[in-house]
Amino acid sequence: MSTNDPQRYLVQFSDYAKRHYVKAFEKRYASKQWEFTKLSICAELARINENIRYKKAETIHSNGGQRIIKYRFRVAQTKDSASSSKNWVIALVDDEKLIVTILLVYSKHEISAPNETAKWQTKIKDNFPGLRDLVK
């Protein structure tokens, strides 16, 4: 599948992301604010190839029909832009099944510098053993 394909993907949150990260956003923001943000994230990731093409997301690791992507987002009704908010989604894109699985959804409060990339990659390796070979 080409990255120019307008195909839509099914977007789902992993149980790990729900337990460890979504819960933090739910506590930090009003319920409608976070619910709207979740809908927005899902709508954007359903068109992941367009977002990569327009540099709203980037492929970090790729192997065969699977990719790990990083996507920045802003929380609804906040003044921060997606860039300045420091909120990220790390997701597994399965191009064969047309599924995007959100592995981590975090802000600078959960995972921060220094070594932010190494920290989230370790979390994926530790909590998603099937992805260890993809995340090097």
Side-chain angles (χ1 to χ4, degrees):
M1 172 175 300
S2 135
T3 56
N4 293 327
D5 191 344
Q7 185 68 47
R8 291 199 179 256
Y9 288 68
L10 170 70
V11 179
Q12 58 192 15
F13 282 80
S14 69
D15 289 338
Y16 180 80
K18 289 178 193 173
R19 277 193 318 270
H20 296 280
Y21 295 100
V22 170
K23 194 179 280 191
F25 279 96
E26 288 172 340
K27 287 181 182 178
R28 196 173 306 127
Y29 299 101
S31 63
K32 286 187 180 182
Q33 195 176 6
W34 175 243
E35 282 303 313
F36 186 77
T37 301
K38 272 185 13 184
L39 290 172
S40 176
I41 289 169
C42 289
E44 288 288 313
L45 292 180
R47 299 182 331 264
I48 188 58
N49 292 329
E50 291 175 35
N51 283 296
I52 288 173
R53 187 170 52 245
Y54 294 113
K55 309 232 185 280
K56 292 181 180 180
E58 64 179 306
T59 299
I60 305 296
H61 300 291
S62 180
N63 187 3
Q66 293 187 320
R67 306 177 266 162
I68 298 287
I69 60 99
K70 189 173 183 180
Y71 167 76
R72 71 176 85 218
F73 69 95
R74 69 183 280 274
V75 174
Q77 301 172 344
T78 61
K79 294 180 182 181
D80 294 333
S81 69
S83 295
S84 66
S85 69
K86 307 261 193 269
N87 295 319
W88 296 96
V89 166
I90 306 298
L92 173 67
V93 178
D94 188 318
D95 290 314
E96 293 171 7
K97 295 178 182 175
L98 299 177
I99 297 174
V100 175
T101 303
I102 296 171
L103 306 173
L104 309 174
V105 53
Y106 67 91
S107 73
K108 59 188 171 193
H109 301 288
E110 286 84 32
I111 302 175
S112 61
N115 304 318
E116 176 187 343
T117 300
K119 288 176 185 175
W120 68 253
Q121 288 180 346
T122 298
K123 288 188 181 294
I124 290 175
K125 289 176 190 176
D126 291 347
N127 295 288
F128 301 94
L131 300 178
R132 283 190 180 143
D133 290 341
L134 185 57
V135 180
K136 298 178 183 188

